[in-house]
């Protein structure tokens, strides 16, 4: 997520209170508040031998954000374990939306303009040694290849069909390209890292530089993966 330097003209809801950080278990099913931190939960369950969240290693997110973005990657997506989400509509009505109506896709779900308050997921029991080492392996591969110690929003662009956005940006010679205090990571070209004086405008200008160059070199239009909040964006954002 990237918030415009001009702010956002609307309501921002922060689900940070105890009520939104609760986890409840019923057999293989877990109901998680939307404010629960995904990664520590994923690590704990993987270490306990539950299968399904090992692929969330290295993805910083709350449960609400991971559901809305269908966070994931080559190892699997969060939506794969989601059985349903409790949501609030702008008129205040509450709905329990089942998996099939959430329409999970590549960094996509059918949750625009809605507030997720909790999610039900299923994590079957597996072999603790396997789930633990899979979590650790995925974590290690992210640690080795991504600039996780720098400030970033994760991958900036979606992978176009048949291509890896990072490889295209790298092949276009853009690693290290800078606008203001924002630069294309030298470690992983699909990450834009922000220095201490970086602004959203620097990041947005750099996104434009990268898109233009990749289009010129490969005739491929990169689509932004991060959600950019601009003053003109309508609705209630969480
Ligand atoms: C180092 C690094 C690595 C990353 N790796 C990955 C990766 O491998 N795969 C991946 O998918 N992402 C990755 N990301 C991006 C990020 O982790 C995901 O997008 C994550 O889902 C964001 O969760 P969040 O809770 O921080 O949501 P935010 O960034 O706060 O919000 C993201 C979107 O979700 C909406 N939202 C948040 N909470 C709710 C809610 N309760 N109800 C409704 N809408 C809500 C927001 O309005 C916004 O549109 C990475 C980020 C970093 C910094």
């Amino acid at each position: 997520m990237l918030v415009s330097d001009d702010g956002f003209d609307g309501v921002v809801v922060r689900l940070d209170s105890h009520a939104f950080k609760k986890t409840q278990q019923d057999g293989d099913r877990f109901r998680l508040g939307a404010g629960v931190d995904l990664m520590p939960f994923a690590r704990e369950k993987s270490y306990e031998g539950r299968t399904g969240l090992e692929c969330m290693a290295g993805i910083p997110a709350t449960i609400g954000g991971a559901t809305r973005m269908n966070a994931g990657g080559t190892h699997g997506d969060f939506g794969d374990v989601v059985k349903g989400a409790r949501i609030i509509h702008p008129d205040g009505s509450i709905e329990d939306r089942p998996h099939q109506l959430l329409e999970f896709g590549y960094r996509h779900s059918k949750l625009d303009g809605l507030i997720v308050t909790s999610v039900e997921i299923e994590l079957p029991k597996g072999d603790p040694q396997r789930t633990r080492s899979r979590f650790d392996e995925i974590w290690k591969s992210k640690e080795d290849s991504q600039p996780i110690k720098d400030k970033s929003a994760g991958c900036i662009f979606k992978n176009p069909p048949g291509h890896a956005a990072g490889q295209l940006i790298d092949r276009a010679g853009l690693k290290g390209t800078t606008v203001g205090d924002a630069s294309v990571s030298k470690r992983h070209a699909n990450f834009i890292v922000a220095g201490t004086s970086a602004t959203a405008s620097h990041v947005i200008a750099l996104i434009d530089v990268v898109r233009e160059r990749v289009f010129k070199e490969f005739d491929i239009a990169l689509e932004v993966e991060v959600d950019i909040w601009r003053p003109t964006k309508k609705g209630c954002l969480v």
Side-chain angles (χ1 to χ4, degrees), residues 11-197:
V11 176
V12 177
V13 181
R14 189 167 179 206
L15 302 178
D16 205 24
S17 71
H18 177 66
F20 297 108
K21 288 186 171 269
K22 282 197 283 199
T23 62
Q24 289 164 289
Q25 182 178 0
D26 181 8
D28 290 347
R29 295 257 175 143
F30 296 80
R31 178 158 289 279
L32 309 174
V36 168
D37 248 348
L38 172 66
M39 236 205 301
F41 181 81
R43 177 181 281 117
E44 183 183 295
K45 293 303 150 207
S46 303
Y47 276 36
E48 281 173 18
R50 295 267 167 194
T51 62
L53 289 183
E54 307 93 307
C55 55
M56 294 295 118
I59 305 182
T62 60
I63 293 298
T67 308
R68 161 74 168 71
M69 299 301 287
N70 190 19
T74 47
H75 304 287
D77 297 325
F78 187 66
D80 299 344
V81 297
V82 172
K83 294 290 153 193
R86 183 160 297 166
I87 54 187
I88 301 184
H89 288 263
D91 67 3
S93 58
I94 295 173
E95 177 194 347
D96 278 319
R97 189 170 285 188
H99 175 94
Q100 64 273 21
L101 297 184
L102 289 167
E103 295 182 11
F104 289 115
Y106 179 30
R107 303 295 84 77
H108 170 84
S109 66
K110 199 176 174 204
L111 286 165
D112 273 5
L114 303 169
I115 302 171
V116 176
T117 56
S118 69
V119 174
E120 193 174 41
I121 63 170
E122 190 170 87
L123 306 175
K125 275 190 187 156
D127 170 9
Q129 243 174 350
R130 282 184 67 165
T131 52
R132 184 186 177 127
S133 58
R134 186 163 150 75
F135 182 95
D136 287 344
E137 266 166 34
I138 295 172
W139 171 249
K140 177 92 179 61
S141 73
K142 300 268 176 94
E143 208 180 17
D144 289 346
S145 61
Q146 297 181 358
I148 55 172
K149 293 204 173 93
D150 295 315
K151 304 262 181 236
S152 81
C155 287
I156 285 284
F157 299 103
K158 290 185 175 181
N159 290 322
H163 298 275
Q167 272 174 17
L168 294 173
I169 300 166
D170 190 4
R171 280 169 49 205
L174 288 161
K175 268 188 174 172
T177 304
T178 296
V179 172
D181 204 13
S183 50
V184 176
S185 168
K186 290 181 181 159
R187 203 173 170 87
H188 190 310
N190 201 13
F191 282 66
I192 288 183
V193 294
T196 46
S197 60

Side-chain angles (χ1 to χ4, degrees), residues 172 209-222:
V209 169
V210 171
R211 293 192 71 199
E212 267 172 39
R213 180 81 74 81
V214 168
F215 189 73
K216 207 169 147 199
E217 293 279 329
F218 307 109
D219 208 19
I220 293 173
L222 290 177

